[in-house]
Amino acid sequence: MKELLHWLDPYKQSCFYFRWSFIGLLVFALLVWWGTAQLDSNFMQALLNNRFVYLPNYLTHEFSHRIWCRFGWEWWCYASGNFMETLIPLVLCFVALGHHGGRYLLPPLLYWLSTTLYGAGVYAADARAMKLPLTSSDMMSNYAPGVMKGDWYYILQPLGLLEKDVLIGHILMFLAVFTLVLAAISLWYYWTHTEQYFQLDQSDMRV
């Protein structure tokens, strides 16, 4: 495990190398709890579902459908939208960790990742209820609620998990809040612990 962490984070920039205190962990846990309890509030909605993050997530999602559906694997055709939408910021997080100073890109990348997890959670929880409007991958056809089944219906149904759609959606939304809080904590930590990273950078340069 230690070797894997070193491979993923060779410059010790991730939260696993933060100098966590009991108070810091408590604040983190309380913020995650508060954010999860306030998911329907205007504040959390403004953070996780605004036009600045919606557009790139939407385009990534729909273009992924159009690309991968050409290969004919039906299940993956439906899963590719959310998967690629989330995979891109996740991979960029690891790319940032692999470079000196990449930590400064982590807060916005983690924030981006949190918005994709939130979007996936909202639609996963709606798989059976079908209360949300949908857009076709041609990005032109819109469907009113209840007219057409969404991606998550076809993702979960073959796996026998359709009846767990609300639970899965809530887990994804919890992960979204967790990642959002981690982004905020990381931004604060990098700002207030420049000496720690200066020492790490100096030791890495000597090696």
Side-chain angles (χ1 to χ4, degrees), residues 160-192:
L161 297 173
L162 188 57
E163 293 185 357
K164 305 290 186 182
D165 59 347
V166 174
L167 175 62
I168 291 170
H170 286 168
I171 290 172
L172 288 168
M173 286 187 273
F174 170 81
L175 291 174
V177 175
F178 183 94
T179 308
L180 176 65
V181 173
L182 182 59
I185 292 288
S186 297
L187 180 63
W188 170 83
Y189 191 89
Y190 297 141
W191 182 264
T192 57

PDB file of all heavy atoms in Angstrom, residues 160-192:
ATOM      1  N   GLY A 160     -28.732  -5.959 -11.483  1.00  0.00           N
ATOM      2  CA  GLY A 160     -29.624  -6.331 -10.389  1.00  0.00           C
ATOM      3  C   GLY A 160     -29.637  -5.322  -9.259  1.00  0.00           C
ATOM      4  O   GLY A 160     -29.994  -5.660  -8.125  1.00  0.00           O
ATOM      5  N   LEU A 161     -29.275  -4.075  -9.555  1.00  0.00           N
ATOM      6  CA  LEU A 161     -29.158  -3.047  -8.517  1.00  0.00           C
ATOM      7  C   LEU A 161     -30.187  -1.932  -8.666  1.00  0.00           C
ATOM      8  O   LEU A 161     -30.087  -0.915  -7.989  1.00  0.00           O
ATOM      9  CB  LEU A 161     -27.746  -2.442  -8.545  1.00  0.00           C
ATOM     10  CG  LEU A 161     -26.595  -3.392  -8.229  1.00  0.00           C
ATOM     11  CD1 LEU A 161     -25.255  -2.696  -8.461  1.00  0.00           C
ATOM     12  CD2 LEU A 161     -26.690  -3.865  -6.781  1.00  0.00           C
ATOM     13  N   LEU A 162     -31.160  -2.138  -9.532  1.00  0.00           N
ATOM     14  CA  LEU A 162     -32.105  -1.058  -9.798  1.00  0.00           C
ATOM     15  C   LEU A 162     -32.860  -0.630  -8.544  1.00  0.00           C
ATOM     16  O   LEU A 162     -33.115   0.567  -8.340  1.00  0.00           O
ATOM     17  CB  LEU A 162     -33.087  -1.482 -10.892  1.00  0.00           C
ATOM     18  CG  LEU A 162     -34.020  -0.394 -11.427  1.00  0.00           C
ATOM     19  CD1 LEU A 162     -33.226   0.777 -11.970  1.00  0.00           C
ATOM     20  CD2 LEU A 162     -34.944  -0.966 -12.492  1.00  0.00           C
ATOM     21  N   GLU A 163     -33.209  -1.585  -7.695  1.00  0.00           N
ATOM     22  CA  GLU A 163     -33.948  -1.243  -6.481  1.00  0.00           C
ATOM     23  C   GLU A 163     -33.075  -0.522  -5.456  1.00  0.00           C
ATOM     24  O   GLU A 163     -33.585  -0.012  -4.460  1.00  0.00           O
ATOM     25  CB  GLU A 163     -34.548  -2.500  -5.862  1.00  0.00           C
ATOM     26  CG  GLU A 163     -35.650  -3.127  -6.727  1.00  0.00           C
ATOM     27  CD  GLU A 163     -36.320  -4.306  -6.053  1.00  0.00           C
ATOM     28  OE1 GLU A 163     -35.880  -4.673  -4.934  1.00  0.00           O
ATOM     29  OE2 GLU A 163     -37.279  -4.852  -6.628  1.00  0.00           O
ATOM     30  N   LYS A 164     -31.783  -0.476  -5.709  1.00  0.00           N
ATOM     31  CA  LYS A 164     -30.853   0.235  -4.826  1.00  0.00           C
ATOM     32  C   LYS A 164     -30.504   1.608  -5.389  1.00  0.00           C
ATOM     33  O   LYS A 164     -29.543   2.237  -4.944  1.00  0.00           O
ATOM     34  CB  LYS A 164     -29.561  -0.578  -4.644  1.00  0.00           C
ATOM     35  CG  LYS A 164     -29.767  -1.994  -4.146  1.00  0.00           C
ATOM     36  CD  LYS A 164     -30.215  -2.033  -2.706  1.00  0.00           C
ATOM     37  CE  LYS A 164     -30.283  -3.467  -2.191  1.00  0.00           C
ATOM     38  NZ  LYS A 164     -30.761  -3.547  -0.793  1.00  0.00           N
ATOM     39  N   ASP A 165     -31.274   2.085  -6.363  1.00  0.00           N
ATOM     40  CA  ASP A 165     -30.903   3.314  -7.056  1.00  0.00           C
ATOM     41  C   ASP A 165     -30.797   4.521  -6.127  1.00  0.00           C
ATOM     42  O   ASP A 165     -29.845   5.306  -6.224  1.00  0.00           O
ATOM     43  CB  ASP A 165     -31.866   3.615  -8.208  1.00  0.00           C
ATOM     44  CG  ASP A 165     -33.321   3.757  -7.748  1.00  0.00           C
ATOM     45  OD1 ASP A 165     -33.624   3.389  -6.590  1.00  0.00           O
ATOM     46  OD2 ASP A 165     -34.146   4.233  -8.556  1.00  0.00           O
ATOM     47  N   VAL A 166     -31.725   4.650  -5.191  1.00  0.00           N
ATOM     48  CA  VAL A 166     -31.689   5.794  -4.276  1.00  0.00           C
ATOM     49  C   VAL A 166     -30.474   5.716  -3.365  1.00  0.00           C
ATOM     50  O   VAL A 166     -29.781   6.728  -3.139  1.00  0.00           O
ATOM     51  CB  VAL A 166     -32.993   5.859  -3.452  1.00  0.00           C
ATOM     52  CG1 VAL A 166     -32.908   6.964  -2.398  1.00  0.00           C
ATOM     53  CG2 VAL A 166     -34.188   6.091  -4.371  1.00  0.00           C
ATOM     54  N   LEU A 167     -30.190   4.529  -2.845  1.00  0.00           N
ATOM     55  CA  LEU A 167     -29.014   4.349  -1.991  1.00  0.00           C
ATOM     56  C   LEU A 167     -27.737   4.673  -2.752  1.00  0.00           C
ATOM     57  O   LEU A 167     -26.860   5.401  -2.252  1.00  0.00           O
ATOM     58  CB  LEU A 167     -28.961   2.909  -1.476  1.00  0.00           C
ATOM     59  CG  LEU A 167     -27.709   2.528  -0.668  1.00  0.00           C
ATOM     60  CD1 LEU A 167     -27.599   3.375   0.593  1.00  0.00           C
ATOM     61  CD2 LEU A 167     -27.721   1.041  -0.321  1.00  0.00           C
ATOM     62  N   ILE A 168     -27.610   4.149  -3.962  1.00  0.00           N
ATOM     63  CA  ILE A 168     -26.417   4.407  -4.772  1.00  0.00           C
ATOM     64  C   ILE A 168     -26.294   5.896  -5.085  1.00  0.00           C
ATOM     65  O   ILE A 168     -25.204   6.476  -5.015  1.00  0.00           O
ATOM     66  CB  ILE A 168     -26.467   3.571  -6.063  1.00  0.00           C
ATOM     67  CG1 ILE A 168     -26.305   2.086  -5.723  1.00  0.00           C
ATOM     68  CG2 ILE A 168     -25.382   4.016  -7.058  1.00  0.00           C
ATOM     69  CD1 ILE A 168     -26.575   1.149  -6.881  1.00  0.00           C
ATOM     70  N   GLY A 169     -27.426   6.520  -5.393  1.00  0.00           N
ATOM     71  CA  GLY A 169     -27.405   7.958  -5.646  1.00  0.00           C
ATOM     72  C   GLY A 169     -26.943   8.746  -4.439  1.00  0.00           C
ATOM     73  O   GLY A 169     -26.139   9.677  -4.562  1.00  0.00           O
ATOM     74  N   HIS A 170     -27.418   8.382  -3.247  1.00  0.00           N
ATOM     75  CA  HIS A 170     -27.022   9.082  -2.034  1.00  0.00           C
ATOM     76  C   HIS A 170     -25.544   8.855  -1.705  1.00  0.00           C
ATOM     77  O   HIS A 170     -24.877   9.757  -1.200  1.00  0.00           O
ATOM     78  CB  HIS A 170     -27.899   8.639  -0.870  1.00  0.00           C
ATOM     79  CG  HIS A 170     -29.284   9.195  -0.938  1.00  0.00           C
ATOM     80  ND1 HIS A 170     -30.321   8.762  -0.139  1.00  0.00           N
ATOM     81  CD2 HIS A 170     -29.826  10.151  -1.739  1.00  0.00           C
ATOM     82  CE1 HIS A 170     -31.417   9.430  -0.412  1.00  0.00           C
ATOM     83  NE2 HIS A 170     -31.145  10.268  -1.391  1.00  0.00           N
ATOM     84  N   ILE A 171     -25.039   7.664  -1.999  1.00  0.00           N
ATOM     85  CA  ILE A 171     -23.612   7.402  -1.782  1.00  0.00           C
ATOM     86  C   ILE A 171     -22.778   8.298  -2.689  1.00  0.00           C
ATOM     87  O   ILE A 171     -21.779   8.901  -2.260  1.00  0.00           O
ATOM     88  CB  ILE A 171     -23.290   5.915  -2.038  1.00  0.00           C
ATOM     89  CG1 ILE A 171     -23.895   5.041  -0.937  1.00  0.00           C
ATOM     90  CG2 ILE A 171     -21.781   5.690  -2.117  1.00  0.00           C
ATOM     91  CD1 ILE A 171     -23.791   3.551  -1.205  1.00  0.00           C
ATOM     92  N   LEU A 172     -23.171   8.407  -3.947  1.00  0.00           N
ATOM     93  CA  LEU A 172     -22.443   9.262  -4.885  1.00  0.00           C
ATOM     94  C   LEU A 172     -22.520  10.729  -4.474  1.00  0.00           C
ATOM     95  O   LEU A 172     -21.525  11.465  -4.564  1.00  0.00           O
ATOM     96  CB  LEU A 172     -23.002   9.076  -6.298  1.00  0.00           C
ATOM     97  CG  LEU A 172     -22.669   7.744  -6.970  1.00  0.00           C
ATOM     98  CD1 LEU A 172     -23.499   7.553  -8.234  1.00  0.00           C
ATOM     99  CD2 LEU A 172     -21.182   7.663  -7.301  1.00  0.00           C
ATOM    100  N   MET A 173     -23.675  11.161  -3.984  1.00  0.00           N
ATOM    101  CA  MET A 173     -23.801  12.556  -3.535  1.00  0.00           C
ATOM    102  C   MET A 173     -22.980  12.806  -2.273  1.00  0.00           C
ATOM    103  O   MET A 173     -22.407  13.884  -2.098  1.00  0.00           O
ATOM    104  CB  MET A 173     -25.270  12.903  -3.327  1.00  0.00           C
ATOM    105  CG  MET A 173     -26.025  13.086  -4.638  1.00  0.00           C
ATOM    106  SD  MET A 173     -27.721  13.680  -4.427  1.00  0.00           S
ATOM    107  CE  MET A 173     -28.583  12.117  -4.207  1.00  0.00           C
ATOM    108  N   PHE A 174     -22.908  11.800  -1.396  1.00  0.00           N
ATOM    109  CA  PHE A 174     -22.039  11.926  -0.221  1.00  0.00           C
ATOM    110  C   PHE A 174     -20.585  12.064  -0.651  1.00  0.00           C
ATOM    111  O   PHE A 174     -19.842  12.906  -0.120  1.00  0.00           O
ATOM    112  CB  PHE A 174     -22.202  10.714   0.693  1.00  0.00           C
ATOM    113  CG  PHE A 174     -21.167  10.657   1.790  1.00  0.00           C
ATOM    114  CD1 PHE A 174     -21.314  11.417   2.937  1.00  0.00           C
ATOM    115  CD2 PHE A 174     -20.041   9.852   1.657  1.00  0.00           C
ATOM    116  CE1 PHE A 174     -20.348  11.375   3.943  1.00  0.00           C
ATOM    117  CE2 PHE A 174     -19.079   9.799   2.648  1.00  0.00           C
ATOM    118  CZ  PHE A 174     -19.230  10.572   3.800  1.00  0.00           C
ATOM    119  N   LEU A 175     -20.168  11.245  -1.619  1.00  0.00           N
ATOM    120  CA  LEU A 175     -18.799  11.336  -2.119  1.00  0.00           C
ATOM    121  C   LEU A 175     -18.538  12.693  -2.758  1.00  0.00           C
ATOM    122  O   LEU A 175     -17.427  13.225  -2.685  1.00  0.00           O
ATOM    123  CB  LEU A 175     -18.522  10.214  -3.130  1.00  0.00           C
ATOM    124  CG  LEU A 175     -18.461   8.802  -2.553  1.00  0.00           C
ATOM    125  CD1 LEU A 175     -18.320   7.778  -3.677  1.00  0.00           C
ATOM    126  CD2 LEU A 175     -17.303   8.659  -1.567  1.00  0.00           C
ATOM    127  N   ALA A 176     -19.577  13.252  -3.375  1.00  0.00           N
ATOM    128  CA  ALA A 176     -19.439  14.587  -3.970  1.00  0.00           C
ATOM    129  C   ALA A 176     -19.154  15.632  -2.897  1.00  0.00           C
ATOM    130  O   ALA A 176     -18.254  16.473  -3.051  1.00  0.00           O
ATOM    131  CB  ALA A 176     -20.710  14.948  -4.734  1.00  0.00           C
ATOM    132  N   VAL A 177     -19.898  15.579  -1.805  1.00  0.00           N
ATOM    133  CA  VAL A 177     -19.683  16.530  -0.704  1.00  0.00           C
ATOM    134  C   VAL A 177     -18.315  16.297  -0.075  1.00  0.00           C
ATOM    135  O   VAL A 177     -17.582  17.247   0.227  1.00  0.00           O
ATOM    136  CB  VAL A 177     -20.795  16.405   0.350  1.00  0.00           C
ATOM    137  CG1 VAL A 177     -20.497  17.300   1.545  1.00  0.00           C
ATOM    138  CG2 VAL A 177     -22.141  16.769  -0.259  1.00  0.00           C
ATOM    139  N   PHE A 178     -17.957  15.024   0.123  1.00  0.00           N
ATOM    140  CA  PHE A 178     -16.647  14.688   0.694  1.00  0.00           C
ATOM    141  C   PHE A 178     -15.533  15.292  -0.158  1.00  0.00           C
ATOM    142  O   PHE A 178     -14.587  15.906   0.360  1.00  0.00           O
ATOM    143  CB  PHE A 178     -16.505  13.163   0.765  1.00  0.00           C
ATOM    144  CG  PHE A 178     -15.238  12.692   1.403  1.00  0.00           C
ATOM    145  CD1 PHE A 178     -15.205  12.400   2.757  1.00  0.00           C
ATOM    146  CD2 PHE A 178     -14.071  12.532   0.665  1.00  0.00           C
ATOM    147  CE1 PHE A 178     -14.027  11.960   3.365  1.00  0.00           C
ATOM    148  CE2 PHE A 178     -12.904  12.095   1.255  1.00  0.00           C
ATOM    149  CZ  PHE A 178     -12.876  11.812   2.611  1.00  0.00           C
ATOM    150  N   THR A 179     -15.627  15.134  -1.467  1.00  0.00           N
ATOM    151  CA  THR A 179     -14.598  15.643  -2.374  1.00  0.00           C
ATOM    152  C   THR A 179     -14.591  17.162  -2.406  1.00  0.00           C
ATOM    153  O   THR A 179     -13.527  17.790  -2.481  1.00  0.00           O
ATOM    154  CB  THR A 179     -14.825  15.091  -3.790  1.00  0.00           C
ATOM    155  OG1 THR A 179     -14.958  13.669  -3.730  1.00  0.00           O
ATOM    156  CG2 THR A 179     -13.661  15.428  -4.708  1.00  0.00           C
ATOM    157  N   LEU A 180     -15.767  17.775  -2.340  1.00  0.00           N
ATOM    158  CA  LEU A 180     -15.861  19.231  -2.299  1.00  0.00           C
ATOM    159  C   LEU A 180     -15.180  19.795  -1.052  1.00  0.00           C
ATOM    160  O   LEU A 180     -14.412  20.763  -1.125  1.00  0.00           O
ATOM    161  CB  LEU A 180     -17.332  19.654  -2.329  1.00  0.00           C
ATOM    162  CG  LEU A 180     -17.619  21.154  -2.191  1.00  0.00           C
ATOM    163  CD1 LEU A 180     -17.070  21.918  -3.384  1.00  0.00           C
ATOM    164  CD2 LEU A 180     -19.118  21.399  -2.046  1.00  0.00           C
ATOM    165  N   VAL A 181     -15.454  19.189   0.091  1.00  0.00           N
ATOM    166  CA  VAL A 181     -14.822  19.641   1.336  1.00  0.00           C
ATOM    167  C   VAL A 181     -13.320  19.409   1.277  1.00  0.00           C
ATOM    168  O   VAL A 181     -12.529  20.253   1.720  1.00  0.00           O
ATOM    169  CB  VAL A 181     -15.448  18.926   2.548  1.00  0.00           C
ATOM    170  CG1 VAL A 181     -14.683  19.263   3.831  1.00  0.00           C
ATOM    171  CG2 VAL A 181     -16.916  19.300   2.694  1.00  0.00           C
ATOM    172  N   LEU A 182     -12.910  18.276   0.708  1.00  0.00           N
ATOM    173  CA  LEU A 182     -11.478  18.001   0.572  1.00  0.00           C
ATOM    174  C   LEU A 182     -10.805  19.058  -0.296  1.00  0.00           C
ATOM    175  O   LEU A 182      -9.671  19.472  -0.019  1.00  0.00           O
ATOM    176  CB  LEU A 182     -11.269  16.609  -0.029  1.00  0.00           C
ATOM    177  CG  LEU A 182      -9.818  16.149  -0.185  1.00  0.00           C
ATOM    178  CD1 LEU A 182      -9.113  16.126   1.175  1.00  0.00           C
ATOM    179  CD2 LEU A 182      -9.767  14.764  -0.819  1.00  0.00           C
ATOM    180  N   ALA A 183     -11.493  19.504  -1.342  1.00  0.00           N
ATOM    181  CA  ALA A 183     -10.942  20.562  -2.200  1.00  0.00           C
ATOM    182  C   ALA A 183     -10.722  21.842  -1.395  1.00  0.00           C
ATOM    183  O   ALA A 183      -9.671  22.490  -1.504  1.00  0.00           O
ATOM    184  CB  ALA A 183     -11.884  20.821  -3.370  1.00  0.00           C
ATOM    185  N   ALA A 184     -11.718  22.199  -0.572  1.00  0.00           N
ATOM    186  CA  ALA A 184     -11.616  23.426   0.231  1.00  0.00           C
ATOM    187  C   ALA A 184     -10.526  23.300   1.292  1.00  0.00           C
ATOM    188  O   ALA A 184      -9.725  24.227   1.492  1.00  0.00           O
ATOM    189  CB  ALA A 184     -12.965  23.730   0.886  1.00  0.00           C
ATOM    190  N   ILE A 185     -10.476  22.155   1.967  1.00  0.00           N
ATOM    191  CA  ILE A 185      -9.449  21.933   2.989  1.00  0.00           C
ATOM    192  C   ILE A 185      -8.066  21.936   2.356  1.00  0.00           C
ATOM    193  O   ILE A 185      -7.107  22.490   2.917  1.00  0.00           O
ATOM    194  CB  ILE A 185      -9.700  20.594   3.714  1.00  0.00           C
ATOM    195  CG1 ILE A 185     -10.982  20.662   4.563  1.00  0.00           C
ATOM    196  CG2 ILE A 185      -8.499  20.195   4.564  1.00  0.00           C
ATOM    197  CD1 ILE A 185     -10.874  21.504   5.801  1.00  0.00           C
ATOM    198  N   SER A 186      -7.934  21.324   1.180  1.00  0.00           N
ATOM    199  CA  SER A 186      -6.640  21.279   0.498  1.00  0.00           C
ATOM    200  C   SER A 186      -6.168  22.679   0.142  1.00  0.00           C
ATOM    201  O   SER A 186      -4.991  23.010   0.307  1.00  0.00           O
ATOM    202  CB  SER A 186      -6.739  20.419  -0.768  1.00  0.00           C
ATOM    203  OG  SER A 186      -7.043  19.077  -0.457  1.00  0.00           O
ATOM    204  N   LEU A 187      -7.081  23.498  -0.368  1.00  0.00           N
ATOM    205  CA  LEU A 187      -6.725  24.872  -0.710  1.00  0.00           C
ATOM    206  C   LEU A 187      -6.212  25.611   0.508  1.00  0.00           C
ATOM    207  O   LEU A 187      -5.179  26.292   0.455  1.00  0.00           O
ATOM    208  CB  LEU A 187      -7.948  25.587  -1.295  1.00  0.00           C
ATOM    209  CG  LEU A 187      -7.743  27.045  -1.712  1.00  0.00           C
ATOM    210  CD1 LEU A 187      -6.723  27.140  -2.836  1.00  0.00           C
ATOM    211  CD2 LEU A 187      -9.066  27.662  -2.133  1.00  0.00           C
ATOM    212  N   TRP A 188      -6.915  25.470   1.623  1.00  0.00           N
ATOM    213  CA  TRP A 188      -6.477  26.117   2.858  1.00  0.00           C
ATOM    214  C   TRP A 188      -5.131  25.559   3.330  1.00  0.00           C
ATOM    215  O   TRP A 188      -4.240  26.318   3.724  1.00  0.00           O
ATOM    216  CB  TRP A 188      -7.538  25.893   3.947  1.00  0.00           C
ATOM    217  CG  TRP A 188      -7.070  26.317   5.310  1.00  0.00           C
ATOM    218  CD1 TRP A 188      -7.081  27.571   5.833  1.00  0.00           C
ATOM    219  CD2 TRP A 188      -6.475  25.472   6.304  1.00  0.00           C
ATOM    220  NE1 TRP A 188      -6.543  27.574   7.099  1.00  0.00           N
ATOM    221  CE2 TRP A 188      -6.158  26.296   7.412  1.00  0.00           C
ATOM    222  CE3 TRP A 188      -6.187  24.117   6.376  1.00  0.00           C
ATOM    223  CZ2 TRP A 188      -5.575  25.788   8.564  1.00  0.00           C
ATOM    224  CZ3 TRP A 188      -5.602  23.609   7.531  1.00  0.00           C
ATOM    225  CH2 TRP A 188      -5.313  24.436   8.606  1.00  0.00           C
ATOM    226  N   TYR A 189      -4.957  24.258   3.242  1.00  0.00           N
ATOM    227  CA  TYR A 189      -3.730  23.635   3.750  1.00  0.00           C
ATOM    228  C   TYR A 189      -2.520  24.072   2.930  1.00  0.00           C
ATOM    229  O   TYR A 189      -1.470  24.411   3.488  1.00  0.00           O
ATOM    230  CB  TYR A 189      -3.869  22.110   3.711  1.00  0.00           C
ATOM    231  CG  TYR A 189      -2.766  21.401   4.459  1.00  0.00           C
ATOM    232  CD1 TYR A 189      -2.891  21.109   5.815  1.00  0.00           C
ATOM    233  CD2 TYR A 189      -1.586  21.012   3.817  1.00  0.00           C
ATOM    234  CE1 TYR A 189      -1.886  20.460   6.516  1.00  0.00           C
ATOM    235  CE2 TYR A 189      -0.576  20.361   4.504  1.00  0.00           C
ATOM    236  CZ  TYR A 189      -0.728  20.095   5.850  1.00  0.00           C
ATOM    237  OH  TYR A 189       0.282  19.454   6.538  1.00  0.00           O
ATOM    238  N   TYR A 190      -2.644  24.057   1.606  1.00  0.00           N
ATOM    239  CA  TYR A 190      -1.513  24.462   0.767  1.00  0.00           C
ATOM    240  C   TYR A 190      -1.142  25.920   1.028  1.00  0.00           C
ATOM    241  O   TYR A 190       0.032  26.293   0.976  1.00  0.00           O
ATOM    242  CB  TYR A 190      -1.854  24.274  -0.711  1.00  0.00           C
ATOM    243  CG  TYR A 190      -2.116  22.836  -1.109  1.00  0.00           C
ATOM    244  CD1 TYR A 190      -3.133  22.522  -2.011  1.00  0.00           C
ATOM    245  CD2 TYR A 190      -1.367  21.787  -0.576  1.00  0.00           C
ATOM    246  CE1 TYR A 190      -3.396  21.211  -2.370  1.00  0.00           C
ATOM    247  CE2 TYR A 190      -1.623  20.474  -0.927  1.00  0.00           C
ATOM    248  CZ  TYR A 190      -2.638  20.186  -1.825  1.00  0.00           C
ATOM    249  OH  TYR A 190      -2.893  18.887  -2.180  1.00  0.00           O
ATOM    250  N   TRP A 191      -2.137  26.736   1.304  1.00  0.00           N
ATOM    251  CA  TRP A 191      -1.907  28.155   1.543  1.00  0.00           C
ATOM    252  C   TRP A 191      -1.201  28.398   2.878  1.00  0.00           C
ATOM    253  O   TRP A 191      -0.390  29.321   3.000  1.00  0.00           O
ATOM    254  CB  TRP A 191      -3.243  28.895   1.504  1.00  0.00           C
ATOM    255  CG  TRP A 191      -3.126  30.378   1.700  1.00  0.00           C
ATOM    256  CD1 TRP A 191      -3.268  31.084   2.857  1.00  0.00           C
ATOM    257  CD2 TRP A 191      -2.842  31.345   0.680  1.00  0.00           C
ATOM    258  NE1 TRP A 191      -3.096  32.419   2.641  1.00  0.00           N
ATOM    259  CE2 TRP A 191      -2.833  32.614   1.312  1.00  0.00           C
ATOM    260  CE3 TRP A 191      -2.604  31.267  -0.693  1.00  0.00           C
ATOM    261  CZ2 TRP A 191      -2.586  33.792   0.610  1.00  0.00           C
ATOM    262  CZ3 TRP A 191      -2.368  32.442  -1.394  1.00  0.00           C
ATOM    263  CH2 TRP A 191      -2.363  33.679  -0.746  1.00  0.00           C
ATOM    264  N   THR A 192      -1.520  27.592   3.870  1.00  0.00           N
ATOM    265  CA  THR A 192      -1.000  27.828   5.219  1.00  0.00           C
ATOM    266  C   THR A 192       0.199  26.954   5.588  1.00  0.00           C
ATOM    267  O   THR A 192       0.725  27.093   6.694  1.00  0.00           O
ATOM    268  CB  THR A 192      -2.116  27.601   6.263  1.00  0.00           C
ATOM    269  OG1 THR A 192      -2.633  26.271   6.126  1.00  0.00           O
ATOM    270  CG2 THR A 192      -3.233  28.616   6.068  1.00  0.00           C
TER     271      THR A 192
END
